Amino acid sequence: MRGFLASSIGVATAAVLALPVALPTPALAETAPVTPAGSTQSLPLVPLGPSATRAPGVPGMSASPGRPETQGLTAREVKTFSLVGVVWDDAATELHGLVQVRTRSTRTATWSDWQDVETHNGEHAADPDAAERGSRTIRGATAPLWVGESDAVEVRVQAESGAPTTRAPSRLPTGMRIELVDPGAEPPATGSDGKNTGPGDGKGEVVVPAMTMETAESSAANVPHAPLGANEITALDKADSTADAIFANDGELAAAAAPYIGPRPRIVTRKGWGANEGLREPGFVYTSTVKAAFVHHSASGNNYACKDAPAVLRSLYRYHVISNGWRDFGYNFAVDKCGTVYEGRAGGVSKAVLGAHTMGFNTNSMGVAVLGTFTSTTPPAVVVDSVARLTAWKLGLFGRDPRAKTNLTSGGGNRYPKGKSVSMNVISGHRDGFATQCPGAKLYGKLGATRKASAKLQGRP
């Protein structure tokens, strides 16, 4: 099922007309909005052979002349970056092999050890027939890896070895490039914190901070939960969160859903984490409802401080849009390892926004990505609590019991064929809809407790 496209200009216009705000043209014209910085270096990989000059001791990499196909880049200085990933031409082609990078820190001027990059990332994507795939060139890609601010890189990609008697070695995809993403500096603190309506003009009206049209469109999608230009959406108690459900359902609230809405958590908006709204495609794509929440890990590593989470998000966003070719950030929400909740894909935190997170099951679902890798690392308790709080609120807006099952129709993937109706937990892990390791064994093991906590927050017996 294709989502329906809503004009973000229409959303912004409706929000402005509904608010007692003053938008004086001179103020917008004379106060230039800040355009977020950031950049992506895209460097083509080249064939590599045995060489005495390359860095020795790459774990898992064969150095014999008959080894499988290997591409990469020798150590070199580059412009500053903080996140890496490898992309290739055809999104339908899988990379069967090993990808490893090492980087040089700008802070210590020392090289890191070789780090593995998760190669199986295609399942974090739009459905095969989604509008997303018809508007941009979608590329195959590894998971991104956060390495911190760095100024030099070395990368090696080696195809999977063939079995001695059954098959030849795998071939690497064509057009491989390493993407080096700089998130840019933290944007200046402007706009409202969501707790008030911003500075007045002396006449009892609100003056909206200078914003680009794209930023205003994105921010307007969260009105009336927060004023235009807000950096965060404040937490609400359970009773006040009922108003969110009325807004999410276009003025209607099913009687059965009314008592079972969890308290709204504090949510940092896209403006709050510094999203460059000029990167994404215009307009928002919605589906009919939200029947399930899929929990993910970003597989980008745990080597970040919580204060750096906005930079991690800006890097992931740029990687999703510029490198992968998606229309916007893939997940509907993100949660950092300190439990802070962030708005993901634009379109409104209480709305049924079509994401690109669980190939085959993006329609009528939401995707929550915990920033980090939780294959062998246990997620902090505060993360599990935040996921429970977020799902208790968002699923409650649409009358969903976090402990229940729901039926979703597959849009096509490697686990369920297109058109198959599948019974799933209302709170599921990514691996429930696609054959993948995501969200990592340790995070997946916490989903049972998350369902119970989420239901309790909704007030269900």
Side-chain angles (χ1 to χ4, degrees):
M1 171 183 172
R2 292 178 182 267
F4 60 90
L5 180 68
S7 166
S8 52
I9 296 177
V11 172
T13 302
V16 169
L17 291 175
L19 287 173
V21 297
L23 292 174
T25 302
L28 292 179
E30 294 172 7
T31 306
V34 175
T35 300
S39 64
T40 301
Q41 301 170 72
S42 186
L43 308 178
L45 303 190
V46 299
L48 293 179
S51 169
T53 61
R54 76 165 188 267
V58 183
M61 293 286 190
S62 169
S64 66
R67 74 190 189 285
E69 182 184 9
T70 304
Q71 293 186 27
L73 290 176
T74 55
R76 65 193 59 207
E77 293 186 345
V78 293
K79 292 187 292 184
T80 302
F81 66 97
S82 295
L83 180 140
V84 303
V86 172
V87 301
W88 52 92
D89 292 340
D90 184 7
T93 300
E94 294 185 2
L95 195 166
H96 296 287
L98 186 64
V99 178
Q100 294 182 315
V101 299
R102 67 185 195 116
T103 56
R104 189 178 68 189
S105 167
T106 58
R107 183 175 61 85
T108 64
T110 59
W111 283 85
S112 71
D113 294 332
W114 286 97
Q115 300 184 76
D116 291 341
V117 179
E118 173 59 55
T119 58
H120 301 295
N121 192 53
E123 63 270 18
H124 299 259
D127 292 348
D129 64 347
E132 192 138 4
R133 291 180 176 267
S135 54
R136 292 175 180 259
T137 299
I138 307 296
R139 301 179 186 87
T142 67
L145 179 67
W146 177 262
V147 295
E149 189 173 285
S150 305
D151 60 6
V153 66
E154 183 173 10
V155 58
R156 291 179 65 83
V157 182
Q158 183 169 290
E160 191 176 67
S161 300
T165 59
T166 58
R167 62 180 175 82
S170 297
R171 299 290 298 176
L172 293 175
T174 59
M176 289 200 304
R177 310 177 71 88
I178 186 167
E179 305 286 288
L180 307 175
V181 181
D182 172 21
E186 191 78 15
T190 60
S192 167
D193 61 2
K195 299 176 184 177
N196 52 64
T197 53
D201 64 353
K203 300 178 181 179
E205 295 182 317
V206 176
V207 178
V208 176
M211 293 179 284
T212 64
M213 178 58 73
E214 294 87 357
T215 299
E217 291 165 353
S218 177
S219 182
N222 286 319
V223 174
H225 308 310
L228 201 63
N231 291 329
E232 68 176 63
I233 298 169
T234 56
L236 288 181
D237 61 23
K238 188 176 185 303
D240 289 340
S241 294
T242 302
D244 289 349
I246 296 173
F247 179 75
N249 290 279
D250 297 323
E252 298 181 3
L253 179 62
Y260 301 128
I261 299 169
R264 185 177 74 196
R266 172 181 173 268
I267 302 171
V268 177
T269 65
R270 289 169 63 94
K271 184 174 180 295
W273 56 260
N276 180 351
E277 299 293 354
L279 295 180
R280 65 173 174 85
E281 288 194 4
F284 312 130
V285 183
Y286 298 103
T287 60
S288 301
T289 186
V290 176
K291 299 175 70 176
F294 286 99
V295 178
H296 305 254
H297 66 172
S298 62
S300 51
N302 303 316
N303 188 29
Y304 70 94
C306 292
K307 66 179 179 60
D308 295 326
V312 175
L313 284 167
R314 293 196 300 275
S315 297
L316 291 173
Y317 172 44
R318 179 172 280 275
Y319 187 70
H320 286 179
V321 176
I322 301 298
S323 302
N324 294 13
W326 300 351
R327 64 174 288 115
D328 193 356
F329 189 78
Y331 309 104
N332 299 100
F333 296 92
V335 178
D336 70 24
K337 61 185 178 183
C338 288
T340 301
V341 178
Y342 301 86
E343 178 185 12
R345 180 162 287 209
V349 295
S350 65
K351 293 293 188 179
V353 179
L354 179 69
H357 49 83
T358 307
M359 183 187 287
F361 295 99
N362 290 304
T363 297
N364 296 337
S365 72
M366 59 182 273
V368 181
V370 179
L371 301 182
T373 303
F374 299 99
T375 305
S376 57
T377 300
T378 300
V382 68
V383 166
V384 179
D385 179 68
S386 288
V387 173
R389 290 181 179 279
L390 174 61
T391 53
W393 170 72
K394 184 64 182 274
L395 292 172
L397 301 183
F398 296 89
R400 309 302 174 191
D401 183 344
R403 302 163 303 186
K405 297 277 189 177
T406 191
N407 288 319
L408 295 174
T409 301
S410 173
N414 69 355
R415 187 162 186 173
Y416 299 105
K418 183 178 179 179
K420 182 177 178 60
S421 179
V422 182
S423 176
M424 291 188 179
N425 289 310
V426 168
I427 297 180
S428 286
H430 186 182
R431 63 177 64 183
D432 295 320
F434 202 96
T436 174
Q437 296 296 313
C438 184
K442 295 296 186 178
L443 180 54
Y444 187 77
K446 298 293 185 180
L447 295 189
T450 300
R451 296 182 191 107
K452 293 178 182 177
S454 183
K456 183 177 180 180
L457 287 162
Q458 288 186 344
R460 292 184 183 271

